[in-house]
Amino acid sequence: MSPWLSILEQTYRTDHGRIVATLIRVMGGDFASAEELVQEAFEAALQQWPQDGVPAEPRAWLIRAARNKAVDRMRRGVRLGTRVDELEVLARLEQELSTAPDGADWQAHPDDSLRLLFTCCHPALAVDIQVALALRTLCGLTTEEIARAFLVPPATMAQRLVRAQRKIRDAGIPYVIPALDALAERTHGVLHAIYLLFSEGYAATEGDALLRVDLCAEALRLARLARSLLPRNGEVASLLSMLLLHHSRHRARVAQDGGLVLLDRQDRSLWDASEMEEGLAQLEAALALGAFGPYTIQAAIAALHAQARRPEDTDWEQISALYHRLSELAPGPVVELNRAAAVAMAKGPEHGLALVDDLEASGRLTSYHLLPAARAELLRRLGRREESAAAYRRALALVRTEPERRFLEERLREVI
């Protein structure tokens, strides 16, 4: 791959959301136009960079290119009777272009992405749509990826996203970080979006790589921004704690050949001690603030794993109890599946298998490969090899990432 193309692709992966966020601000909250203009700027880079070379500040170049296109588009549209708000956007664009040198505009509004996140999470939108819109616009996830996360067809999710953008535009929802007294009603959606973003990065739902480092980094950045904005909110501290503790293990989670390494086989010397220490400190801060919500419990579970020097030192009894509490506070099939795995470790595989079978019988998670994968593992531990092999085959029919596919194929070979 050409160096310029590699840089452009890397910029798209790491900065697309922040570039869109900046354009939405300067376009007065027009999501659709901002996304189109950023797309046109990337297309312009495809044409110009091979000839002119990669600019010193690729992100700033793309923002400026998108702004120039916005100005051109709006100037062409100016006519007698043009709306005042459109003229205001044009004036703001021309002002910013005339005063911001290349590179400076990228640094001028570091909170654009947080502003976009809070706008997407306006209470006028349903919570699921808040999160979906944030993941699409700010985090750059595809409509298909978001649809899978919400277990709906892609066409349905696409329609929901378009309606949400129109609602923000038509209702005149301001593109701002709200005042302190209005932050609380949006915090739930903001934290959930950050959580899902990190989850997609830490366990990619498809592709050749197990991890998407760019998404993990963006989730951590947003969590830190939210923590600084809401220093007295214990669940924000809990979320940051959980992300740090999970992220501290990411290097040990992937083998040199890109394969999956389960927790009990990880080289714990590869765990990042500084991130672990910071994560534990954030958990202590959350508890001191009186937090004991879903993110606090998940952070506590991650902390128990972090504090175990060897796999056999893991306190599975306490982890199992914490999952039980989590299933009461935030019930859901994925939580139930994780609880089953913890119960299997604490009390034996037959106890975990009973919970997995109940979950399977409920008809939930029918397209989730980790359900048959977990069942296969428990059956393998019980010596029921033929049933285990059948479950591994079902998991292989559903899995979407190559590292997990290789892992499941290896396990299948062990039981046939």
Side-chain angles (χ1 to χ4, degrees), residues 101-161:
D102 280 347
D105 46 3
W106 176 252
Q107 307 292 339
H109 301 281
D111 58 352
D112 275 344
S113 52
L114 199 59
R115 182 182 293 113
L116 175 56
L117 192 52
F118 274 100
T119 301
C120 291
C121 295
H122 192 279
L125 303 174
V127 172
D128 281 358
I129 296 303
Q130 294 175 14
V131 176
L133 188 60
L135 292 174
R136 175 70 188 93
T137 308
L138 179 59
C139 306
L141 297 192
T142 66
T143 303
E144 289 75 14
E145 288 172 331
I146 301 168
R148 279 200 298 275
F150 286 88
L151 304 177
V152 299
T156 301
M157 180 53 69
Q159 292 172 355
R160 292 179 183 176
L161 291 170

Side-chain angles (χ1 to χ4, degrees), residues 251-288:
R251 282 184 301 175
R253 190 162 173 268
V254 182
Q256 288 188 340
D257 65 356
L260 168 66
V261 183
L262 294 183
L263 183 60
D264 62 346
R265 297 187 179 184
Q266 290 179 7
D267 178 356
R268 300 187 177 215
S269 68
L270 294 177
W271 291 3
D272 189 313
S274 62
E275 283 194 334
M276 205 177 298
E277 184 178 350
E278 185 184 357
L280 293 173
Q282 289 293 335
L283 178 57
E284 286 187 12
L287 294 172

